[in-house]
Each structure stands twice: as C-alpha cells, then as structure tokens.
Amino acid sequence: MGVTTVTVRRPSPALLIALLALFVALGGPAQARRLINGQDIRKGSVRSRQVKDHTLSTRDLRRSAVRSLRATPAKSITTAKLADGAVTSAQLGDAAVTPGKMAAGAVTGAAVADGSLTGADILDGTLSTQDVARYAGRFRVLPEDIGTIQPHACWHGEPRGLAPELAGADISQDAVFVAPRGGFDEQTTAFSWRTSAPNPADPGAVTRFVIALCNVTNAAYTAPAGGLAFSYVVFDIP
C-alpha cells in the first residue's frame, strides 16, 4: 500500500485577518448584548431617536408615569370633544353641576322632563307670575268708562285688549285673580270679578272677565281723574 503525502500550507496573513473579522462579526453583537447593561450606559445619553418606535410598554415605565398618563388633566376636555348625548346624569356626581357652571339659557324647558322638578328644586323668589300663570298683566278703567255710581249701586264692565283676548283664548274655565293697584278707596268702593261665559249665539266670541265696582256709601261716587288701575292673573285649571 502506498502512502500519500499531504502538504498543508501555512495560511497567509490576509486569510487570518479575514477569519478574525468574520468571528468578530458573527459573535460581536451577541457578546455585546451579554456584556453591556444599564450600568454601562451613561445617564441621559439615550434619547427617543435611539429607541425603536412602538417597543416600549407600560411595564417599562414607572408606576407614577403610568398613573399620570392615565389621568385626565384638568380642563382638558371641552364641549367640542364630547359627542352629543355622551354625558348623562349617571356620569355626573351628586351636586356636581351648580348654577354657576351653566351658561345663561343653557337649560330650556325642552331639556327638563315633565314632572322632574318640584318646589324644593326651585330657588325661593325666582318665579314671577309669567312663570306660573297662563296670562298676567295690568289694565286701567278710565273715569269716563265708569261715569257716576249712585249710592249702593254698582257698575260692571269687561276690560278690553288684554292678553287673553288678543290670543283668542278661552278663559271661561280658568281661575282669574284681580287686585287694585292704585287710586282705589276700599272705604267707598268694593269690587268683584268673574269670567264671562262664551256666547252661545256667537261660537267664535272671545271670553273675557268682568269686573264690578259698587258704591258702598250714601253719596254718589266718581272715579279719580287717573282712573283705577288693576293687575290680573289667569291660572289654567286642568
């Protein structure tokens, strides 16, 4: 059997350098990941551009940072950022909304459910007759309308041009309250009022109320020069 002789050539310097470079290229990053930790990185040297997008999660942040991110800054949510109907009474704390937090005219009758308000919800002294009455106003009876009322006699008449008449309203079944305002002397004159019933002969006639002035003295009565002023309120009776 013959013997074959193999001659191994000594690698050249260039080949050795190439092999060393390949070793470093393949093992360097893995070795770096194993050897470099947070203590080897100078504080403040890593910025946002060195961090790959979308690689951080909440577990990488401090708890205080997470809480601050989840918290809603004061006054950051405005009406423009709320969808219509997004905030209901269930999202509001008790007594959270006060009159000082609402713009004037922000709440209208359409926004208040029928029967949702009681007397306890209304601030004392805030309602006027226009808020609770069907009609309200003033009128004056002139001296020439009354003329002279003889002793123990009465005069009666219907005030004209008042709100119920102008609206064409039927107030025959309503409650009407009339009170004198000035120039009325209860020592000489008494007055009363009643609603006038619709005229069956004229179905389109507007009902009004009638007032009566009675002279309670033994002398003739003449109204003062300025006449007699009255206030009236018409309440709707269901």
Side-chain angles (χ1 to χ4, degrees):
M1 182 176 61
V3 178
T4 302
T5 302
V6 177
T7 302
V8 179
R9 297 181 59 185
R10 186 176 181 179
S12 65
L15 178 59
L16 291 175
I17 293 174
L19 292 174
L20 179 61
L22 178 61
F23 171 78
V24 172
L26 294 176
Q31 188 73 2
R33 285 197 297 268
R34 184 174 66 84
L35 297 179
I36 297 177
N37 55 39
Q39 295 178 351
D40 300 317
I41 300 175
R42 187 174 62 185
K43 184 178 181 181
S45 64
V46 177
R47 306 190 181 200
S48 61
R49 66 180 180 179
Q50 275 86 42
V51 179
K52 186 177 181 180
D53 293 343
H54 311 300
T55 60
L56 296 180
S57 64
T58 54
R59 67 180 181 180
D60 299 314
L61 304 176
R62 288 185 177 181
R63 292 183 180 180
S64 58
V66 174
R67 287 195 298 267
S68 65
L69 291 174
R70 290 176 176 174
T72 302
K75 299 181 180 180
S76 64
I77 298 178
T78 62
T79 54
K81 296 178 181 179
L82 295 176
D84 293 340
V87 178
T88 63
S89 58
Q91 279 82 46
L92 298 175
D94 293 341
V97 179
T98 61
K101 296 180 181 179
M102 294 186 293
V107 179
T108 63
V112 180
D114 293 343
S116 62
L117 297 179
T118 65
D121 301 314
I122 300 174
L123 185 65
D124 293 344
T126 59
L127 296 181
S128 65
T129 52
Q130 286 79 4
D131 299 316
V132 297
R134 185 180 181 191
Y135 299 100
R138 303 174 183 177
F139 66 92
R140 182 178 295 275
V141 180
L142 301 177
E144 54 267 32
D145 295 329
I146 300 174
T148 300
I149 303 177
Q150 298 302 319
H152 306 289
C154 297
W155 168 91
H156 68 274
E158 293 182 337
R160 299 298 182 112
L162 303 184
E165 178 185 0
L166 298 178
D170 181 2
I171 62 172
S172 60
Q173 303 302 315
D174 292 343
V176 178
F177 176 77
V178 181
R181 294 187 56 84
F184 185 85
D185 184 4
E186 63 274 4
Q187 300 297 322
T188 61
T189 312
F191 83 98
S192 62
W193 66 92
R194 64 172 176 80
T195 56
S196 57
N199 185 357
D202 185 5
V206 176
T207 60
R208 304 178 179 87
F209 58 87
V210 179
I211 63 170
L213 300 176
C214 297
N215 182 358
V216 297
T217 69
N218 295 322
Y221 171 81
T222 302
L228 299 175
F230 297 89
S231 295
Y232 74 94
V233 181
V234 179
F235 295 99
D236 185 17
I237 303 298

